[in-house]
Structure formats: structure tokens, C-alpha cells
Amino acid sequence: MDFGDILEQWDASQKKTDGRKKQNQASRKKANAPALEEREAVRKSCSYEQIMEQDSRKHVHPMDLWLRRYGTIDKDKISE
């Protein structure tokens, strides 16, 4: 069995599974997730204090916070 035979077998198996994948492919959106318009409507109906409380519950990863604060430096551009 050479590489060509193996490749043909693999192609045949992929063609069989492609049909199944396309049928079973679903949206990655959560079933109960509200749409963008619904989220905006909820935010508009909330008071400023409620919005601030919701935002304060959000957590930022420390690495993301550091990168936002200090940024990055392109050392290659500096050396030019």
C-alpha cells in the first residue's frame, strides 16, 4: 500500500463524513442567548446604577489589563 492508496481511502472517508457534518452542523449561538436587539432594549430599560453594577461584576484577565495599560513595543521597528 503506497501513499496514493492511503490518500484515496482518506478522500473517500472524508466524502462520506462531509455529508454528515453538513447535516449536523448547528449554530454556535446558545439556544437561550438573547439577540443583540433584546440586549440593547434591556440595557436601555435599566437605570444608570443598575448598568454600573452589571459592569462591575465583569472580570478582566490580569494579562489583558496589563496589555491595555502598558501596550507592546515593536523592537524591530525601533532598531530600524
Side-chain angles (χ1 to χ4, degrees):
M1 180 177 250
D2 64 345
F3 182 74
D5 296 333
I6 296 170
L7 184 61
E8 287 175 11
Q9 285 180 348
W10 184 79
D11 282 339
S13 69
Q14 290 298 312
K15 288 178 184 176
K16 290 178 185 176
T17 59
D18 282 345
R20 287 186 226 141
K21 285 182 183 176
K22 288 178 184 175
Q23 292 171 354
N24 293 334
Q25 207 171 31
S27 172
R28 298 203 184 273
K29 183 180 173 187
K30 293 182 179 177
N32 296 331
L36 178 63
E37 296 83 20
E38 293 172 359
R39 289 188 305 228
E40 290 297 322
V42 168
R43 283 189 77 85
K44 287 180 182 177
S45 67
C46 294
S47 69
Y48 182 73
E49 290 80 16
Q50 290 171 334
I51 293 172
M52 291 297 291
E53 184 178 332
Q54 290 172 358
D55 289 342
S56 68
R57 289 188 204 140
K58 296 178 184 175
H59 295 285
V60 177
H61 191 275
M63 182 65 75
D64 292 334
L65 177 65
W66 192 91
L67 287 171
R68 286 182 199 159
R69 185 177 294 164
Y70 299 108
T72 58
I73 298 171
D74 188 1
K75 294 179 183 178
D76 294 331
K77 193 169 188 174
I78 292 173
S79 66
E80 292 174 356

